[in-house]
Amino acid sequence: MLIFALAAAPLAAQETGGGGAAYVIGGIPVDTAAKTTYDARLAAYAIARRKAWPMLWNRLTGQAESAAPRLGDSQLQAMVAGIEVEGERFSTTRYIARLGVVFDRARASAYFTGTAGALQSGPMLLLPIFTDGGARTLYQTRTPWIAAWTRFSEGLSPIDYVIASGSAGDNILLTSYQTARGDRALWRNILSRFGSTDVLIAEVRLVRSFPGGPVAAEFIARHGPDATELGRLSLTASAEGVDAMLDAGVRAIDGIYGQALREGRLGSDPDLIAELEPIISLAPDIAAPMFMGGASIEADVATPDGKVFGEIEALLRSTPTVGGVTLTSVSLGGISRIVIRHTNTPEMLRYQLDQKGLRLADTATGILLRRRAPGDAPIPAPVVLSAEPAPPLPGAPASAATPPTNQPVAGPPPASPPTDPTREPPLAIVPADRPRDRPQRERPPRAPEPGPVDLLGDTGPR
């Protein structure tokens, strides 16, 4: 008679070192017997490795498990990074458990190089919709459906899933209503925020017969902004087995997506991955030495919420050299992207932004607009060069760009002719087409004429 002991908590036995991304095959049942519990456990680990390898081959290539290369125990042990114990029971001579095998991704990938059918998708934004009691929920709360996708190892799948964190900014953009909208412009902003090329919609609908009774679930796999259905399935479980049923639904939906990828039905919509190079290429280098009268600079800016972005935008628009601000990518709670149009040199833009408490910082990925830190040294005012030519030196010949004149370059100015106070100034000549109502120049008062000369009073000798 065997007496089994239920383990108090799941255990994890790491056989070799290894970290980072890995392939995980879970849910492998084992039942072994040996002289001691330790020997039975080691035998169970070896059986789990042999069972997991063909399953890994099938999941990554889509080929039958029988087509997997034949590997010895030493080769499998070198490729496996660890064993996950999902549940176990044991006696002094027997070991029964459900195990997961963790394959080192770098070592296992060597067997798939050049293998037909071994495909890998681009980053796909996953929207797991959970419907229970008629309420549809996405990332607004931590649902059992999200927990099942978190437990699923994306390294095992040819699909590169991108799962949102469920922040406040995520909940503004990612709603169950958004999955029914075909607005390409909004989808481009969403995918840009999460660094994805396409969207996958995985939905589960739970129907409970009565409290504590059986639960029926319908799983639907959709793809793209138009929510194109790729497949669906139905499962039933007891109230205590809902989590295990959801785990099975995750694996089934991942299989649908993997099959669609191999058949070429998981291609991205060209409207969703429209590149911005034609716009970005128009922006000059911020370190360009010449200024041609107008330019723009593209920069990243941290936008934890709309209020912070509004404050930064107000500072930008109040900067004298800034002619306009355009938001090209919004990411509340993350990094947004803007284009700053300015009407002066890049150096002057940096200086004037520094006066507003902002700083354009060069990073490895581009330019980051941030607030000036207390330890940042102030940016000096740039030197402004005058566009007018310098005056010629005395005695220097006239420049080719300066038209020659009849006046000498050096020497005192010519003397003005002597003025006769008794001479009447010339009259002003008014053109014929000059309006007559225009005031005329007044003549100066005429000098009095001299009186008669008394010749008789001159009695001196002649």
Side-chain angles (χ1 to χ4, degrees), residues 285-292 295 297 319 321 342-355 359-360 379-384:
D285 184 5
I286 193 169
M290 299 299 294
F291 174 70
M292 303 305 294
I297 291 177
T319 305
T321 190
H342 58 100
T343 58
N344 210 301
T345 60
E347 292 78 10
M348 181 61 72
L349 175 64
R350 286 177 178 262
Y351 167 73
Q352 292 185 347
L353 289 178
D354 184 70
Q355 299 299 306
R359 182 65 60 93
L360 286 173
I379 296 179
V383 178
V384 179

Side-chain angles (χ1 to χ4, degrees), residues 284-287 297-301 335-338 340 350 359-370:
D285 184 5
I286 193 169
I297 291 177
E298 187 175 16
D300 295 331
V301 56
I335 300 296
S336 300
R337 182 168 294 179
I338 60 174
I340 305 173
R350 286 177 178 262
R359 182 65 60 93
L360 286 173
D362 296 323
T363 64
T365 58
I367 300 173
L368 177 66
L369 177 67
R370 60 173 176 81

Side-chain angles (χ1 to χ4, degrees), residues 42-274:
L42 292 182
Y45 291 169
I47 294 174
R49 288 192 294 265
R50 299 184 198 123
K51 290 183 177 180
W53 168 244
M55 297 171 63
L56 177 66
W57 179 271
N58 171 259
R59 296 296 296 274
L60 292 183
T61 66
Q63 302 178 18
E65 294 183 8
S66 58
R70 302 292 181 179
L71 301 179
D73 288 341
S74 59
Q75 292 175 295
L76 291 174
Q77 187 171 3
M79 194 191 330
V80 171
I83 299 292
E84 293 182 350
V85 180
E86 300 172 359
E88 65 178 2
R89 293 182 299 169
F90 55 88
S91 70
T92 56
T93 59
R94 191 172 179 184
Y95 183 81
I96 301 175
R98 188 175 64 253
L99 304 177
V101 179
V102 182
F103 289 91
D104 183 272
R105 188 166 187 171
R107 298 174 185 174
S109 297
Y111 291 92
F112 299 98
T113 303
T115 302
L119 300 177
Q120 187 69 33
S121 74
M124 301 279 191
L125 175 62
L126 179 67
L127 302 183
I129 300 179
F130 181 71
T131 303
D132 189 8
R136 288 165 55 91
T137 308
L138 191 54
Y139 284 109
Q140 286 70 33
T141 185
R142 181 75 173 183
T143 65
W145 188 223
I146 294 178
W149 279 101
T150 304
R151 290 190 297 269
F152 178 72
S153 175
E154 64 181 84
L156 176 63
S157 172
I159 308 300
D160 184 6
Y161 295 105
V162 177
I163 300 178
S165 63
S167 64
D170 296 344
N171 293 330
I172 293 176
L173 297 175
L174 302 180
T175 63
S176 58
Y177 173 70
Q178 175 61 31
T179 61
R181 300 181 64 181
D183 186 353
R184 271 20 182 203
L186 181 56
W187 275 114
R188 279 196 297 269
N189 285 334
I190 293 176
L191 295 179
S192 176
R193 167 187 170 88
F194 294 97
S196 306
T197 60
D198 211 336
V199 58
L200 300 176
I201 304 169
E203 183 176 1
V204 59
R205 301 172 182 173
L206 299 185
V207 179
R208 302 179 185 270
S209 301
F210 53 87
V215 180
E218 183 179 21
F219 300 89
I220 307 173
R222 295 189 175 94
H223 162 245
D226 298 325
T228 303
E229 183 174 331
L230 299 178
R232 65 174 61 198
L233 71 150
S234 299
L235 297 175
T236 304
S238 63
E240 294 79 11
V242 171
D243 288 343
M245 179 180 62
L246 294 178
D247 291 339
V250 168
R251 292 191 294 268
I253 288 183
D254 176 71
I256 294 175
Y257 287 142
Q259 184 65 26
L261 176 65
R262 287 187 289 270
E263 295 176 355
R265 295 184 291 124
L266 217 59
S268 299
D269 191 334
D271 293 339
L272 295 179
I273 55 176

